[in-house]
Amino acid sequence: KAGVTQTPRYLIKTRGQQVTLSCSPISGHRSVSWYQQTPGQGLQFLFEYFSETQRNKGNFPGRFSGRQFSNSRSEMNVSTLELGDSALYLCASSFGGASDTQYFGPGTRLTVL
Amino acid sequence: AQRVTQPEKLLSVFKGAPVELKCNYSYSGSPELFWYVQYSRQRLQLLLRHISRESIKGFTADLNKGETSFHLKKPFAQEEDSAMYYCALRAGANSKLTFGKGITLSVRP
């Protein structure tokens, strides 16, 4: 069974621009979660979508937003990029049940110049 | 709010030595605890979860509610255990995962 895929794998943007990242979950999975990974802060939860609805939200500013489509694919958008947004962005999918295992994608490396 | 603390950033041991990766948490309810592992150039993946009470790749972890800890242990480290390890907590059904900052385990030959 194919794993979680994320596109693009690498991105370079400049301050003030916006960016959209995409995540395709494992077939049958209805939950997609997004995380920001940095050397200093580790893995920080951004948000989770389940059946096209945001189910959980982390403590990130409104510049970070997401959505989920009917096929469970999810996108994450960051507007007005800042240098501090440079990070590895990971998505994880699961069936969405209370104790289901999350499966992670390879991540998108975003560099903001 | 829940918090996960991994007090050490790096643990370096020789092959065959015992390993203990520490994880402490703060949460007033009954959490679900996990250990995730990321090998070099690989994806983050689940290693084990406390509700399964199983040993994976020789690793075990016991939830100690009194000490609010979930330390990961292995009696004899192998070189292939070298990786980044993250402890994570889920505060309730369908709630988010909160991760610690991770620890790098280096097993020397």
Side-chain angles (χ1 to χ4, degrees), chain A residues 20-62:
Chain A
T20 299
L21 313 181
S22 181
C23 173
S24 292
I26 291 171
S27 177
H29 285 187
R30 296 166 63 191
S31 168
V32 174
S33 296
W34 288 90
Y35 298 86
Q36 183 193 67
Q37 186 177 27
T38 59
Q41 297 301 317
L43 276 154
Q44 292 186 287
F45 174 78
L46 282 152
F47 30 66
E48 179 205 3
Y49 286 86
F50 178 75
S51 293
E52 301 179 66
T53 300
Q54 189 179 85
R55 184 159 72 173
N56 286 298
K57 188 177 187 302
N59 298 319
F60 278 79

Side-chain angles (χ1 to χ4, degrees), chain A residues 1 27-31 50 55 93-97 100-101 103:
Chain A
K1 167 159 87 166
S27 177
H29 285 187
R30 296 166 63 191
S31 168
F50 178 75
R55 184 159 72 173
S93 77
S94 73
F95 287 110
D100 287 334
T101 298
Y103 294 86

Side-chain angles (χ1 to χ4, degrees), chain A residues 4-6 10-11 16 18 20 28 46-47 53-54 57 68 72-74 82 84-85 102 113:
Chain A
V4 178
T5 59
Q6 293 186 244
Y10 301 92
L11 266 178
Q18 75 164 20
T20 299
L46 282 152
F47 30 66
T53 300
Q54 189 179 85
K57 188 177 187 302
Q68 187 179 34
S72 293
R73 189 178 70 85
S74 177
E82 300 177 359
D85 296 333
Q102 290 193 2
L113 304 177

Side-chain angles (χ1 to χ4, degrees), chain A residues 3-5 35 37 39-45 48 55-59 88 90 96-106, chain B residues 1 9 32 34 36 38 41-47 49 51 84 86-88 90 92-102:
Chain A
V4 178
T5 59
Y35 298 86
Q37 186 177 27
Q41 297 301 317
L43 276 154
Q44 292 186 287
F45 174 78
E48 179 205 3
R55 184 159 72 173
N56 286 298
K57 188 177 187 302
N59 298 319
L88 182 68
L90 296 173
S99 296
D100 287 334
T101 298
Q102 290 193 2
Y103 294 86
F104 283 81
Chain B
K9 290 187 177 180
E32 191 174 359
F34 306 82
Y36 279 80
Q38 190 167 28
R41 301 180 190 278
Q42 293 189 29
R43 305 175 181 208
L44 191 64
Q45 58 186 286
L46 178 67
L47 180 62
R49 54 203 304 173
I51 60 172
M84 188 81 168
Y86 293 91
C87 182
R90 182 152 54 201
N94 300 323
S95 70
K96 65 179 184 179
L97 274 178
T98 298
F99 284 85
K101 293 193 176 181

